[in-house]
Amino acid sequence: MAPLHQVVVVGASAAGVTTAETLRREGYTGRLTLVGDEKVLPYDRPPLSKQVLAGTWEPEKTLLRPDSAYVDHDIELKLGSAASGLDLAGRTVALSNGEEIAYDGLVIATGTTPRTLPFGHDLAGVHVLRTIDDALALRGDLLRSSFVVVVGAGFLGTEAAAAARRLGLDVTLVDPLPLPLVRQFGDQVASAIAELHEEHGVRLRTGSGVTALHGDIAVSGVELTDGTVLRADVVLVAIGATPTTAWLDGSGVPVDDGVVCDATCRAVDGVYAAGDVARWFNPHFGSPMRVEHRMNATEQGMAAARNLLGAQIPFAPVPYFWTDQFDAKIQAYGVFPADAEMVVAHGLLAERKFVAHYLAGGRVVGVLGWNMARQLRQDRQLISPATVA
């Protein structure tokens, strides 16, 4: 492999920052450019729907690194301009400000973009939550409001609903699925999450879709598929996200629900991907996957950097993620297929202190703990590889 002299990392969040730092730690001494579409220093996203929205953290506390760290590592920051195109043959990245950056090694870490409803997003009071500006705008509206509707009962929606309820607001959580987080964890855990929210005063309108947002200048209501109109001063749309790959259209980089990579996170020659945008083959589970969780961003950023420098080690993690809602800390390792069998192995689900095992194909593929962190860490070892030599 020829020595690298110019490495560009596109995406200035957790995966991108970790990639850049790892390159330096692993001995890369050439030019290193980190590109980000926001004007602020790179920051952590998980606190946005928790501490920032609740007001317990100031925005500065979310920064991944101080400005001095980028100087110390000789990382050139290009913030406030998104990548707009990629020329694989010419090995250049085009930016939205008209600039082009040459590279001989590239890591794509552009993350995801929130999905939106096909209507109503021009109304004041309607929000998505992805950036620090989104979080601050949403918090500002929450502090001036009484009635909140959260559309989407996944991780982001349930966390935001919990934060809004703790602010004393009237909160309704809407989702077309029958239970919150049911796609992620199955009926039993999802039922417990529903009960948790209802006990804290969140109204659940699961099994209902949204057909319209009412209001002239500002949102005033959310119309459901059954014709009900919910009063709303604020609406958070949390219906998932799509990989940010439009800038790669026509480039030759394979894209299919993310940047398609092999087991080493390599997409094409000299181009790797990391974080939410990467869809790679995970040898541990014997299948491709794309993981939108914080720990994966860090681990995959490290792997992509090392493999770009020539290590060529398959990235085979057991994914780890967590969610904090009211008094519940739910942590999970592995994967959770829809057809997996869930078995409570420790504690009691009814008491909301337990560890559950998810079994598929005769083996443990995921473990989940609810306020039982120590036992969960032990049971993580039970998640076996897809094939054993």
Side-chain angles (χ1 to χ4, degrees), residues 116-133:
T116 57
L117 295 170
F119 43 75
H121 281 271
D122 56 334
L123 294 172
V126 178
H127 297 262
V128 294
L129 180 51
R130 174 67 180 174
T131 69
I132 189 70
D133 287 344

Side-chain angles (χ1 to χ4, degrees), residues 141-209:
D141 273 0
L142 291 177
L143 294 177
R144 295 186 291 269
S145 304
S146 299
F147 295 91
V148 181
V149 175
V150 179
V151 181
F155 288 107
L156 179 61
T158 50
E159 288 174 358
R165 186 70 192 121
R166 281 185 155 171
L167 291 173
L169 303 177
D170 184 298
V171 180
T172 303
L173 186 58
V174 177
D175 197 286
L177 295 177
L179 292 164
L181 289 166
V182 67
R183 182 181 286 119
Q184 290 82 357
F185 296 132
D187 290 347
Q188 295 183 69
V189 172
S191 294
I193 293 171
E195 291 170 2
L196 174 72
H197 276 258
E198 289 177 330
E199 288 171 6
H200 284 84
V202 176
R203 295 187 178 91
L204 297 184
R205 291 302 301 264
T206 51
S208 296

Side-chain angles (χ1 to χ4, degrees), residues 31-354:
R31 182 183 180 187
L32 180 53
T33 307
L34 180 61
V35 176
D37 60 351
E38 296 179 69
K39 294 181 180 180
V40 298
L41 287 173
Y43 56 88
D44 216 6
R45 296 191 191 278
L48 300 185
S49 61
K50 306 177 185 73
Q51 294 92 338
V52 173
L53 201 57
T56 58
W57 280 22
E58 292 300 317
E60 293 75 19
K61 195 170 181 179
T62 67
L63 291 181
L64 290 166
R65 304 289 183 270
D67 192 26
S68 59
Y70 303 100
V71 176
D72 293 343
H73 285 95
D74 192 20
I75 299 171
E76 180 183 0
L77 291 177
K78 286 192 177 292
L79 304 177
S81 292
S84 59
L86 174 63
D87 181 350
L88 281 181
R91 297 205 168 217
T92 58
V93 175
L95 303 186
S96 57
N97 64 1
E99 186 177 355
E100 290 189 349
I101 310 174
Y103 72 86
D104 47 24
L106 173 66
V107 179
I108 299 168
T110 43
T112 58
T113 301
R115 292 191 182 99
T116 57
L117 295 170
F119 43 75
H121 281 271
D122 56 334
L123 294 172
V126 178
H127 297 262
V128 294
L129 180 51
R130 174 67 180 174
T131 69
I132 189 70
D133 287 344
D134 292 339
L136 294 176
L138 176 57
R139 175 168 169 77
D141 273 0
L142 291 177
L143 294 177
R144 295 186 291 269
S145 304
S146 299
F147 295 91
V148 181
V149 175
V150 179
V151 181
F155 288 107
L156 179 61
T158 50
E159 288 174 358
R165 186 70 192 121
R166 281 185 155 171
L167 291 173
L169 303 177
D170 184 298
V171 180
T172 303
L173 186 58
V174 177
D175 197 286
L177 295 177
L179 292 164
L181 289 166
V182 67
R183 182 181 286 119
Q184 290 82 357
F185 296 132
D187 290 347
Q188 295 183 69
V189 172
S191 294
I193 293 171
E195 291 170 2
L196 174 72
H197 276 258
E198 289 177 330
E199 288 171 6
H200 284 84
V202 176
R203 295 187 178 91
L204 297 184
R205 291 302 301 264
T206 51
S208 296
V210 173
T211 58
L213 299 182
H214 291 202
D216 295 323
I217 297 173
V219 68
S220 61
V222 176
E223 185 171 340
L224 305 183
T225 47
D226 64 2
T228 302
V229 177
L230 304 174
R231 182 175 176 182
D233 306 313
V234 177
V235 174
L236 171 62
V237 178
I239 55 176
T242 57
T244 305
T245 57
W247 66 284
L248 297 170
D249 289 351
S251 68
V253 171
V255 172
D256 180 10
D257 183 36
V259 175
V260 179
C261 303
D262 64 15
T264 67
C265 307
R266 175 186 175 276
V268 295
D269 183 40
V271 179
Y272 289 72
D276 296 5
V277 76
R279 185 171 182 263
W280 89 104
F281 183 85
N282 185 335
H284 191 97
F285 295 94
S287 63
M289 61 176 57
R290 188 174 66 81
V291 177
E292 294 183 21
H293 294 299
R294 174 63 174 83
M295 190 60 68
N296 186 74
T298 297
E299 293 177 346
Q300 198 164 23
M302 295 169 65
R306 290 166 179 158
N307 288 337
L308 177 63
L309 294 176
Q312 297 307 294
I313 299 171
F315 180 55
V318 173
Y320 167 71
F321 52 98
W322 74 95
T323 181
D324 297 324
Q325 302 181 26
F326 301 111
D327 60 351
K329 187 173 190 68
I330 303 170
Q331 300 164 284
Y333 290 95
V335 296
F336 299 81
D339 59 352
E341 177 190 2
M342 193 204 87
V343 177
V344 176
H346 308 278
L348 294 173
L349 190 149
E351 294 181 1
R352 296 185 198 146
K353 188 173 183 181
F354 65 93

